[in-house]
Amino acid sequence: MARPLSLAGWLLAGLFLAWLAVAQLPGRSLFDLDRPGLSPARWIWPEGPRDRRSPLAFWAVADFAVTAPRRAVTLEVIADEEYVAYLDGRRVGFGRFSAQRGLDAWTLAEGLEVGSHRLLIEVRSGRGAGGLLARLVADDGEVLAASGEAWRIERRAEAGVLAGWLPVETPEGKGVTLSWGPPVVGRWQDLGVRSPRPAWPLATAEGFRLPVRARLVGEAESWRQRGETATPIDLREPVPGVIFDFGAVVSGVLHLELGGGENVRCALAFLSDRPSDPFTSDGVGEGALVRPVVPVPGNRRWQAAEAVSFRYVTVLGAIGGATAWLEPAAADGEEAEAKGPLGLSGPRLRTPIEDEIRRELQRFPGLTGAEEL
């Protein structure tokens, strides 16, 4: 016959249940233990109300000092949904979240000189929620910067912040960083670090490729050649979108500049091998990669977080025109869309940002099909 638990046994069981309950709170992992490979980095996000129906883009900033020259440094980083990382204003790398691939590792072979430095990571989420995990490691193993509550959140883009000369201030109730805790936490797995790759500096202007023609969404075949105009931008009235044609299938990183000033919060980019127009018989999104375009407020420029292959780009949303260019690069085969059971792709789910774009497009008179987007 089993003996009943003693008072000490019940006490231990109660303590275990209490610990298990606390471990589920935001900022806690199940075991709340550092993973040696990522210590002391924490998953972070902006503090404050989180509206999962609205897109969000911000800068996470860390200032740090180097007391002795470093021959090389490596940034280990992952963000849900995507990121673009800069060190002292220089782009280091970028990527999209995938639980299967682990953290990206970008090595800056030039190293760092003695003095103050700034690590800035642009984080974007089409659903307004997510996380960032990052740390900067010197060649001797010293951790120079690691994501945590000491980082500051910048919700508006200012050139001086990116370049590193403008101090990052934290007004009361703004710019505060929330720590979700060390890995593993929430829906994020215990992620490994990929093999390091060289830092990816931004190409010079001469290295970019421009589309050969463009037209407004809903204008049928009224293409505007590059010789006639550089692509519609800063039009007097918002337009439902712009379609760009690069003339042939190209591989690389898409860059956009959206017109419309502060009113542009988000758009959608459909990358495909054929033109996609939701208001013609062509339809939109069939076989296309769909990417949310969420610029940091105050910055109309946006770049994709991966290199892919495409010919046409449809930028959809209530925008004041747009400009597009391509940074040539080999498409990353690891960025393929996730497959379902038996290797089959499931139907594409509508995201909150798509619902927002659909509501914006319904304001345009004469456009049919916006409700079906």
Side-chain angles (χ1 to χ4, degrees), residues 141-157:
E142 180 184 358
V143 178
L144 302 175
S147 55
E149 293 178 345
W151 286 37
R152 290 292 174 258
I153 301 298
E154 286 289 304
R155 294 179 179 268
R156 287 191 56 82

Side-chain angles (χ1 to χ4, degrees), residues 59 86-90 118 120 158-166:
W59 285 345
Y86 302 86
L87 183 57
D88 295 335
R90 171 187 172 177
R118 174 166 294 174
L120 183 149
E158 295 188 52
V161 174
L162 177 60
W165 55 263
L166 186 66

